[in-house]
Amino acid sequence: QVQLVESGGGLVQAGGSLRLSCAASGSIIGIRRMGWYRQPPGKQRELVASISSDGTTNYADSVKGRFTISSDNANYKVYQQTDSLKPEDTDVYYCNGMIKRYYSPVYSDYWGRGTQVTVSS
């Protein structure tokens, strides 16, 4: 099995920063992409940022210039530095990985349970 475990969420004042971490473990043979998602109330889960195995990054327009995603490919970890936080960034942040397991012919999506980020005004 594959597990993704997030950490680093918390309560911060507007303008503050948090560093989210996600570690993937299990019978992993390769990771094509990892990323962070959130799900605003009443809306579908949305991409916040992603990073591919070749280092290509992608950000939601709402976080460009404020959030930075990075990865440690050798250790199956992904990080998200969140700066200049706003109250509207308050949400549960989910780690996602497109991961290939041993004996599997394909890459599949895996999800963590999420970490809460709360930004007070």
Side-chain angles (χ1 to χ4, degrees):
Q1 296 295 328
V2 172
Q3 288 187 326
L4 275 66
V5 179
E6 304 98 334
S7 62
L11 173 63
V12 64
Q13 289 187 332
S17 298
L18 287 171
R19 182 175 171 83
L20 307 183
S21 300
C22 173
S25 62
S27 56
I28 298 171
I29 193 171
I31 298 180
R32 179 170 291 171
R33 186 187 68 238
M34 295 189 77
W36 294 92
Y37 286 73
R38 63 189 181 188
Q39 188 164 8
K43 297 184 179 180
Q44 290 188 333
R45 191 171 291 187
E46 63 183 21
L47 174 71
V48 177
S50 67
I51 184 166
S52 298
S53 56
D54 64 358
T56 302
T57 58
N58 186 33
Y59 294 93
D61 287 342
S62 60
V63 306
K64 285 180 180 177
R66 300 188 298 121
F67 291 10
T68 304
I69 191 169
S70 60
S71 64
D72 176 356
N73 293 339
N75 292 299
Y76 303 143
K77 293 182 178 180
V78 65
Y79 307 96
Q80 181 168 277
Q81 180 66 35
T82 62
D83 297 322
S84 303
L85 282 162
K86 304 175 181 180
E88 51 263 43
D89 293 319
T90 295
D91 213 322
V92 177
Y93 286 72
Y94 298 93
C95 180
N96 167 265
M98 183 176 285
I99 296 171
K100 190 172 186 290
R101 296 173 54 192
Y102 280 100
Y103 310 118
S104 173
V106 298
Y107 286 82
S108 300
D109 270 327
Y110 293 88
W111 294 90
R113 294 187 175 184
T115 185
Q116 177 71 45
V117 172
T118 302
V119 185
S120 63
S121 58

